[in-house]
Amino acid sequence: MKSLISLIIFTLPGLLAYFWINLFGLTPTTKRDSSEVIAISALLWIPTVATILIIYQIMAGLSHVIHAPFDVWIIKKDWTMLSSTITDINKLTDNIWFLLYYVLLSLVISFLLAILVFTKGYPLLLGHINKVRKSRGVAPLSSQSTVWNEMFLNNQGQIVEYIKGDGTVSLTGCLIRVPRAHEPDKSIVLEAVDHWTNVMDYYDVPIDNTFIDTITGAVIKVYNTTGAEEAQQLYNERVNNGSIS
């Protein structure tokens, strides 16, 4: 039981923050091993737990100075003031109310910390890194950590043509589902394949980008969105007019 409590106290906040950051889309170029995850979680643990304990100290102080009829339920519990030792936290772990408070605040604070890192911290750090890279004559880093993220995880409808590595399969459609960066299988979902194949057969739409998987040889061509929409409109008009059966 003690080991479970220690796991909650000393690893949960940092791991939660790391989990949220990954869900927000800030993923590394490669999967991290366990030692790297532990190191990053330990760094994220510090601000998360510091915030949790500061809030706890404030609530503990209020519970000692505010009395009925001005108190509220949340400070009717016996809040123990903390000193600056780990021993105090270990003693509090025997209190189920403290554990519940700690877990709930870990969820909230780690989520807010991850938002701060994703929206403010990482862009600021990346900006300084790119300044140094430019001063050394090195190309700046992209805002996305992987080529896959840069191409497809932008929440924008894309008309693409998928070509299998050996050239035996070619499909054109609207890309509506893509995997995350580190999923082992890069499976995709295309919508309206027959429709977009017919559109591209009649019109020559410019290609903006071409993604090439250097391992499997698969190719994904990304058509110009404006050009694809114009071609679709012209195709639909010809179908409605009976020019195309």
Side-chain angles (χ1 to χ4, degrees):
M1 189 64 181
K2 279 291 183 183
S3 60
L4 175 61
I5 293 175
S6 298
L7 184 69
I8 293 174
I9 297 297
F10 295 107
T11 64
L12 180 65
L15 284 174
L16 281 173
Y18 181 74
F19 172 76
W20 294 128
I21 290 173
N22 275 272
L23 279 186
F24 291 157
L26 192 56
T27 56
T29 54
T30 59
K31 285 188 177 181
R32 300 192 186 279
D33 57 34
S34 57
S35 59
E36 290 176 322
V37 173
I38 291 173
I40 295 172
S41 298
L43 291 174
L44 295 171
W45 180 88
I46 297 172
T48 306
V49 172
T51 305
I52 292 172
L53 295 182
I54 288 172
I55 295 174
Y56 180 88
Q57 284 287 72
I58 293 173
M59 297 303 296
L62 290 175
S63 70
H64 286 82
V65 299
I66 297 180
H67 303 288
F70 303 104
D71 59 354
V72 293
W73 179 85
I74 197 170
I75 59 174
K76 286 182 179 180
K77 298 293 177 186
D78 293 330
W79 295 77
T80 303
M81 292 295 291
L82 295 170
S83 61
S84 57
T85 64
I86 298 296
T87 305
D88 289 339
I89 300 178
N90 288 330
K91 289 180 180 178
L92 284 173
T93 57
D94 293 331
N95 188 327
I96 188 65
W97 290 108
F98 175 79
L99 286 178
L100 290 175
Y101 158 85
Y102 192 89
V103 171
L104 290 176
L105 260 291
S106 293
L107 285 169
V108 175
I109 301 302
S110 63
F111 183 79
L112 296 177
L113 175 64
I115 293 177
L116 182 63
V117 170
F118 184 75
T119 58
K120 303 294 183 181
Y122 180 71
L124 181 63
L125 178 63
L126 185 63
H128 288 296
I129 290 173
N130 283 336
K131 286 181 181 179
V132 176
R133 290 175 67 91
K134 289 179 181 178
S135 67
R136 301 294 298 171
V138 181
L141 296 174
S142 171
S143 60
Q144 298 292 338
S145 56
T146 65
V147 176
W148 183 265
N149 285 3
E150 189 77 20
M151 286 285 290
F152 303 116
L153 296 187
N154 52 13
N155 199 30
Q156 176 186 356
Q158 294 171 299
I159 309 304
V160 304
E161 179 184 4
Y162 166 78
I163 304 173
K164 194 175 179 180
D166 56 8
T168 57
V169 176
S170 177
L171 296 171
T172 301
C174 181
L175 186 65
I176 60 172
R177 294 287 187 275
V178 294
R180 286 180 285 184
H182 297 313
E183 290 188 34
D185 297 324
K186 289 294 186 289
S187 303
I188 61 175
V189 178
L190 298 179
E191 186 181 50
V193 171
D194 291 340
H195 170 74
W196 283 109
T197 299
N198 291 333
V199 171
M200 296 308 168
D201 285 342
Y202 279 93
Y203 298 96
D204 186 17
V205 178
I207 296 172
D208 281 344
N209 297 288
T210 301
F211 174 85
I212 302 172
D213 189 326
T214 56
I215 297 177
T216 64
V219 174
I220 300 177
K221 298 178 181 180
V222 182
Y223 288 100
N224 179 270
T225 302
T226 302
E229 290 175 349
E230 292 175 352
Q232 178 182 230
Q233 183 177 359
L234 293 172
Y235 175 82
N236 289 338
E237 290 176 356
R238 294 181 65 180
V239 171
N240 295 331
N241 293 335
S243 300
I244 301 175
S245 57

